[in-house]
Amino acid sequence: MLMDPRLLAQQAGPILLLALAVVVGSSLGGALGAATAGLPLAGGFRAGLTLAQPGELSFVLVGAGAATGLLGPGALPAVVGVTLVTTILGPWSYRWGEALGLRLESLVPA
């Protein structure tokens, strides 16, 4: 399955919005999971940021959805773009995750 890189440029806006949704959702999900388990929010937030990268399974699922006609042809470039953006942001997310998590902990009442 080949993809034209120009499709990534054409969908830059939706890709960035989806990447933001993945990172925010994952980090808040990690913080919520940590709070539910009685662990510090900062650690859960950082774990969520670290795990915010979609993987190969998303490519398989989108490919299957496109093959069956459930998803349009623009779905694969969007998923690939989101994966690229979140993977590139991964090291910085890990680096800034602790400070952001501690900030979140200071904002949320105990």
Side-chain angles (χ1 to χ4, degrees):
M1 166 174 17
L2 298 175
M3 189 188 68
D4 186 359
R6 291 176 290 194
L7 294 174
L8 295 175
Q10 290 173 355
Q11 295 186 6
I15 287 171
L16 292 175
L17 286 174
L18 286 170
L20 179 66
V22 167
V23 170
V24 169
S26 182
S27 58
L28 292 179
L32 180 62
T36 302
L39 300 171
L41 285 177
F45 186 81
R46 187 175 190 182
L49 280 175
T50 304
L51 299 172
Q53 296 84 27
E56 296 83 5
L57 179 61
S58 62
F59 300 147
V60 173
L61 293 175
V62 168
T68 60
L70 293 173
L71 297 174
L76 181 62
V79 170
V80 169
V82 169
T83 302
L84 286 173
V85 169
T86 56
T87 301
I88 290 168
L89 290 177
W92 287 293
S93 296
Y94 184 76
R95 183 176 191 180
W96 299 326
E98 186 172 2
L100 291 172
L102 291 172
R103 177 76 177 144
L104 176 68
E105 250 181 14
S106 71
L107 295 174
V108 175

